[in-house]
Amino acid sequence: MSVKEKRPLLEMRGIVKEFPGVRALDRVNLTVREGSVHALMGENGAGKSTLMKCLFGIYEKDAGEILLDGERVEFKSPRQALDRGVAMVHQELNQALKRSVMDNIWLGRYPTRWGFTSEREMEQKTRTVFEDLGLSIDPKRIMGTMSVAERQMAEIAKAVSYNARVIVLDEPTSSLTEEEVGHLFRIIRTLRERGCGIIYISHKMEEILQISDEITVMRDGAHVATEPAENMTMEKIIRLMVGRELSNRFPEKSAKQGDTVLEIKNISSRYTKVKDVSLTLKKGEIVGLAGLAGAGRSELLENIFGISARSSGELYLNGKQIFNRTPREAISNGFAFLTEERRATGIFGILDITENTTITALRKYRRWKLLLSDRTRRLDTDKMIHRLAVKTASRETQIRTLSGGNQQKVILSRWLLTSPQILLLDEPTRGIDVGAKYEIYVLLEELAAAGKSIVMVSSELPELIGVCHRIYVMSGGEITGEVNASSTTQEEIMTLAAKNV
């Protein structure tokens, strides 16, 4: 049976959503069929997440209708959607990190016995869900001690525990290794065989073409096309998404490298697995950090920036020893750090774009030691919005209402205003579409050409090879190899990444 012959499970017709000054959704249609995977694609700001929030009861739509199993529904809250079998796994995880995994899964619906929460039954139910999905996670483990990838899989298990018939996966593989992606795809195929409708939002086109039955493309809040996946190619998807041809995925590497500006000698971390790491960084150079999940890449950047305690090792900037004992000291030494989890540790969600853009450079705006120059802050924010092409109604917009890619641009703007010499970037293009990714790549190349130096963590090997000059590979907290990006292969990097596993 072809996908077009399958029964519609979910229908969204003529959905309209407006925010002040912006029509985020303009009469959008989406049909998800029983036992199918429907990919939803588009650039950041195209309206994908907004459409899903209208479905899930987070936003109230301004026009249109939603049908579930042919019945018109109007969810006023996520709980109503969940009770009707519609679940959503958000890209930005929102979990109770100090509670156990099973607490997070059953929060708000704890199994009880004689009026009291039954820990034993909750653990048993959690293990049953995990075994069904082939997950080896301890239900009693504290959520905050797990990697982003493990937390992502736990969140997917939570959605399945609701016996959901429609499951929305928003960038589910952004923090997963290749092996974990394969596991996720097995789970998705199992759910599809049970008759579930999966809405799969991702910017990774190879994955989309591999797992999807149908693909819908959105652009600027409007529906552009819906086609069977077998009729789509990467080039066609890009053309539909951006409205133009995008022949090169990466800009030409034109920046010239100078002398060594940063030297790291035998750094080990007191509380993380980083041990005896040494590397160098030249002026105008982009150096990549590759490795599997848990290799210690993020922990190394946090160590350099003074977030985590160092047990041994030395840092040298332009030949002079520095210490970076705290982030404040690192910033004063010309370092900037973009974190992997922008919603949890990057943005101030309830503040506007101006506050988020200028917050790390407040000293620059001080007048008479007491007051801040709002005029100068607004001017700098407007310059950054224009420079990085941030899609927003105004600088007064709360940053939490922006798409993930535009939030990332604002965070980059924040650090650029501090005029850093060294940029430490942890997954800078995570959850960003192909068009916005290219804009970020161009910006990084421009910064390198202007003499800035960049250390960049990425889980996407083609990205590291396409953007970086050299790549250090980590495994088990150690550097297991250094390769030249212009001559290496993904196979060589993966071999080094698996060395200490």
Side-chain angles (χ1 to χ4, degrees):
M1 181 186 297
S2 70
V3 67
K4 289 293 186 183
E5 296 175 306
K6 292 184 177 181
R7 185 175 66 87
L9 184 60
L10 171 73
E11 296 176 84
M12 303 183 75
R13 300 174 179 173
I15 306 298
V16 174
K17 180 61 184 175
E18 294 184 347
F19 298 104
V22 178
R23 181 169 252 207
L25 298 174
D26 187 9
R27 300 184 299 276
V28 176
N29 299 319
L30 178 70
T31 299
V32 180
R33 301 178 187 279
E34 193 175 49
S36 71
V37 178
H38 196 119
L40 185 58
M41 303 195 71
E43 292 189 277
N44 287 104
K48 308 182 301 295
S49 294
T50 302
L51 182 65
M52 293 300 98
K53 287 175 180 177
C54 288
L55 165 65
F56 206 51
I58 298 172
Y59 291 158
E60 183 178 351
K61 63 185 180 340
D62 297 315
E65 63 177 359
I66 301 173
L67 285 80
L68 186 63
D69 273 327
E71 177 188 346
R72 187 168 181 171
V73 293
E74 195 79 34
F75 301 135
K76 298 297 184 183
S77 68
R79 184 54 190 259
Q80 288 186 7
L82 286 166
D83 289 342
R84 288 296 305 271
V86 178
M88 182 173 180
V89 179
H90 297 270
Q91 176 188 350
E92 306 292 349
L93 301 176
N94 188 16
Q95 297 165 319
L97 299 182
K98 294 185 178 181
R99 305 294 297 177
S100 69
V101 173
M102 62 185 189
D103 276 331
N104 274 269
I105 288 180
W106 302 102
L107 186 65
R109 54 190 180 122
Y110 289 131
T112 59
R113 182 168 295 180
W114 309 111
F116 296 96
T117 299
S118 172
E119 294 272 340
R120 182 177 180 181
E121 185 178 350
M122 183 162 58
E123 181 183 353
Q124 185 178 3
K125 284 187 172 183
T126 305
R127 292 191 185 280
T128 299
V129 173
F130 285 172
E131 287 171 7
D132 188 38
L133 298 177
L135 298 177
S136 56
I137 299 174
D138 182 359
K140 294 183 178 180
R141 187 173 174 186
I142 301 301
M143 188 67 81
T145 66
M146 296 164 58
S147 68
V148 176
E150 290 172 321
R151 287 168 50 204
Q152 185 92 40
M153 299 301 274
E155 196 70 10
I156 292 169
K158 179 179 179 179
V160 173
S161 74
Y162 277 92
N163 295 317
R165 299 193 61 212
V166 177
I167 301 177
V168 182
L169 302 178
D170 190 355
E171 294 288 349
T173 64
S174 58
S175 300
L176 304 186
T177 64
E178 188 172 338
E179 181 180 348
E180 289 164 336
V181 170
H183 190 173
L184 173 65
F185 283 2
R186 288 192 292 273
I187 291 173
I188 291 174
R189 292 186 182 105
T190 298
L191 295 172
R192 179 170 57 187
E193 289 168 4
R194 294 177 185 174
C196 292
I198 310 293
I199 301 175
Y200 192 95
I201 302 174
S202 177
H203 297 304
K204 299 180 179 180
M205 279 172 251
E206 295 89 348
E207 292 180 2
I208 289 291
L209 293 171
Q210 179 183 347
I211 195 66
S212 304
D213 298 299
E214 286 187 284
I215 299 174
T216 287
V217 178
M218 295 179 64
R219 185 171 70 238
D220 298 328
H223 174 271
V224 175
T226 297
E227 295 276 355
E230 60 190 23
N231 295 346
M232 291 289 226
T233 62
M234 189 180 300
E235 292 74 18
K236 184 175 181 179
I237 294 172
I238 293 174
R239 187 170 64 252
L240 291 169
M241 282 175 56
V242 304
R244 63 188 187 278
E245 297 287 347
L246 195 62
S247 54
N248 296 317
R249 291 178 63 185
F250 306 102
E252 183 181 350
K253 301 175 187 177
S254 59
K256 295 181 180 179
Q257 285 78 64
D259 296 331
T260 297
V261 292
L262 178 66
E263 189 174 3
I264 297 173
K265 293 184 176 180
N266 307 112
I267 275 186
S268 295
S269 179
R270 183 168 297 170
Y271 301 114
T272 67
K273 62 176 67 177
V274 175
K275 54 185 177 182
D276 200 30
V277 170
S278 299
L279 59 83
T280 60
L281 178 66
K282 297 178 181 177
K283 182 177 181 178
E285 186 178 33
I286 303 176
V287 163
L289 286 179
L292 302 175
R297 299 165 300 164
S298 299
E299 292 83 353
L300 175 60
L301 294 192
E302 290 173 354
N303 194 301
I304 296 170
F305 196 64
I307 295 174
S308 62
R310 194 174 307 124
S311 60
S312 62
E314 299 172 335
L315 298 179
Y316 291 88
L317 183 65
N318 297 317
K320 179 182 177 182
Q321 186 173 6
I322 60 171
F323 298 96
N324 286 4
R325 287 161 287 211
T326 65
R328 182 187 294 273
E329 186 178 343
I331 293 171
S332 67
N333 285 328
F335 286 74
F337 179 45
L338 188 147
T339 66
E340 177 184 7
E341 292 190 75
R342 56 178 167 263
R343 186 172 294 276
T345 56
I347 67 169
F348 299 90
I350 62 172
L351 299 183
D352 63 22
I353 293 174
T354 300
E355 298 289 349
N356 274 275
T357 301
T358 61
I359 199 162
T360 56
L362 291 180
R363 290 184 179 182
K364 173 181 175 182
Y365 305 108
R366 282 199 307 195
R367 299 293 181 268
W368 304 292
K369 296 185 179 181
L370 294 174
L371 304 177
L372 295 175
S373 171
D374 286 338
R375 179 178 178 275
T376 309
R377 289 203 299 156
R378 289 194 295 266
L379 285 173
D380 279 355
T381 301
D382 286 341
K383 288 178 184 176
M384 284 298 174
I385 288 174
H386 176 73
R387 180 180 176 186
L388 273 70
V390 179
K391 292 182 180 178
T392 177
S394 73
R395 72 175 93 87
E396 282 81 28
T397 302
Q398 284 189 349
I399 192 171
R400 65 181 178 182
T401 67
L402 300 184
S403 66
N406 284 299
Q407 289 178 5
Q408 196 79 313
K409 290 181 182 180
V410 172
I411 300 172
L412 276 170
S413 299
R414 173 196 303 167
W415 288 114
L416 293 180
L417 285 177
T418 66
S419 300
Q421 184 179 357
I422 310 290
L423 287 93
L424 309 175
L425 309 180
D426 195 353
E427 302 285 1
T429 66
R430 179 187 171 208
I432 295 180
D433 64 78
V434 63
K437 274 186 178 182
Y438 188 81
E439 293 173 3
I440 297 293
Y441 299 152
V442 170
L443 174 63
L444 298 184
E445 180 60 31
E446 289 174 352
L447 291 171
K452 307 293 184 184
S453 303
I454 300 168
V455 181
M456 171 179 165
V457 169
S458 176
S459 298
E460 298 184 33
L461 296 185
E463 179 174 85
L464 288 177
I465 294 171
V467 174
C468 300
H469 300 100
R470 287 184 299 129
I471 301 170
Y472 288 96
V473 186
M474 293 188 69
S475 180
E478 302 178 47
I479 297 289
T480 53
E482 174 192 344
V483 297
N484 189 316
S486 62
S487 58
T488 191
T489 63
Q490 294 188 48
E491 290 75 16
E492 181 183 19
I493 294 173
M494 286 302 298
T495 301
L496 292 168
K499 197 169 184 179
N500 291 341
V501 174

